[in-house]
Amino acid sequence: MTLLNATDLYRFYHVGDDETRALRGVSLELRPGELTVLLGASGSGKSTLLACLAGLDDPDGGWIALGGERLSRQPEARRARLRAAHLGVMLQSGNLIPHLSVLDNALLTGALLGRRDAARARELLNRVGLAQRLHAYPSQLSGGETARAALVAALAHGPRILLADEPTAEVDAETEDRVTELIGDFVHGQGRAALIATHSPRLAARADRVLHLSDGRWADA
Ligand code: ADP
Ligand code: ADP
């Protein structure tokens, strides 16, 4: 069984006469019970890959399926529906709504799906050390707090797949361990998987699989 299947993804960006080949034939499967860590130098294509898998960007070539349904080359409304049904997404570009508190951000997706779970949102915020910041707004948070609030906002509705970009950015070692443990618990629940771009050796040590992007391809390809 595969939760997410991506085959032969290409993504080119055009700026003026310049072309950047951000993804050049990337294939990937996410299977239940697996924590996959995504490594790669800055500019290697990690954010582009996560954005495509999240249905926030659309690849120029290849295809992506989520739970057996095609995500790529679909209208935005359909991608948004599939995203809500299957994914928790935490990206550097920020998945926090500026005029909602940390707690309300964590409750938002669940509320939209008709399964708001305030107890779980509070528990997750507590576990990542944000119990004192429930009523703060995103603009009032430090970089590390923002990453953790965004991670909880991605997880609190109970998705099957977590896609996250540097969830342990700018945190101390103890908090890094708490975030790592939370992600480990998430993945080891029933039928869940995570793909996490990270530079954290602690998080990488917990991975079931480590994939390395280099210049838009898998490094060993
Ligand atoms: P990473 O997340 O690994 O740092 P990115 O996916 O952000 O890599 O970037 C991959 C390549 O695509 C880089 O060369 C980057 O400059 C380029 N790129 C990313 N987004 C855009 C964009 N919106 N327009 C033009 N080039 C982009
Ligand atoms: P399941 O019944 O699907 O196996 P549970 O809800 O019993 O999963 O949770 C299994 C483990 O995963 C528990 O330790 C729980 O704290 C943790 N967990 C559950 N949901 C989430 C979530 N959305 N984010 C992070 N951890 C979670």
Side-chain angles (χ1 to χ4, degrees):
M1 217 254 299
T2 307
L3 293 173
L4 180 154
N5 202 320
T7 305
D8 215 16
L9 300 181
Y10 285 79
R11 183 73 177 101
F12 301 156
Y13 292 111
H14 296 274
V15 179
D17 288 339
D18 290 338
E19 181 184 72
T20 301
R21 301 179 159 212
L23 296 177
R24 303 184 292 150
V26 170
S27 298
L28 167 76
E29 279 184 23
L30 296 182
R31 291 177 290 263
E34 278 187 351
L35 169 55
T36 304
V37 158
L38 178 61
L39 300 179
S42 175
S44 61
K46 302 181 299 295
S47 304
T48 301
L49 176 60
L50 288 168
C52 286
L53 299 179
L56 294 166
D57 192 4
D58 217 9
D60 297 302
W63 58 274
I64 301 167
L66 272 180
E69 283 191 82
R70 185 161 58 88
L71 173 75
S72 45
R73 242 78 43 68
Q74 297 279 16
E76 167 57 27
R78 188 171 168 80
R79 283 190 269 141
R81 185 184 65 70
L82 285 170
R83 181 161 61 239
H86 297 277
L87 301 176
V89 180
M90 181 257 168
L91 296 182
Q92 290 296 295
S93 48
N95 50 306
L96 295 173
I97 307 287
H99 63 273
L100 293 180
S101 70
V102 166
L103 179 60
D104 285 339
N105 266 289
L107 292 172
L108 184 63
T109 305
L112 293 173
L113 293 170
R115 44 185 162 96
R116 186 177 177 279
D117 187 342
R120 173 150 65 187
R122 284 173 183 273
E123 186 218 313
L124 296 176
L125 288 166
N126 192 25
R127 284 189 63 180
V128 300
L130 289 177
Q132 310 305 319
R133 306 294 273 151
L134 300 186
H135 304 293
Y137 288 89
S139 63
Q140 300 171 315
L141 303 176
S142 70
E145 288 174 335
T146 301
R148 283 175 281 149
L151 177 67
V152 171
L155 282 178
H157 65 289
R160 276 192 288 268
I161 305 168
L162 170 67
L163 302 176
D165 197 356
E166 294 290 354
T168 59
E170 297 177 53
V171 300
D172 58 47
E174 187 198 327
T175 310
E176 197 175 335
D177 282 340
R178 294 168 81 164
V179 171
T180 299
E181 207 166 293
L182 181 77
I183 291 173
D185 284 351
F186 167 78
V187 166
H188 297 121
Q190 279 285 311
R192 304 202 194 107
L195 177 66
I196 319 269
T198 184
H199 292 103
S200 159
R202 289 178 149 78
L203 195 45
R206 283 288 289 267
D208 298 294
R209 194 160 58 132
V210 176
L211 299 174
H212 202 131
L213 262 185
S214 171
D215 223 354
R217 302 176 189 234
W218 296 130
D220 56 8

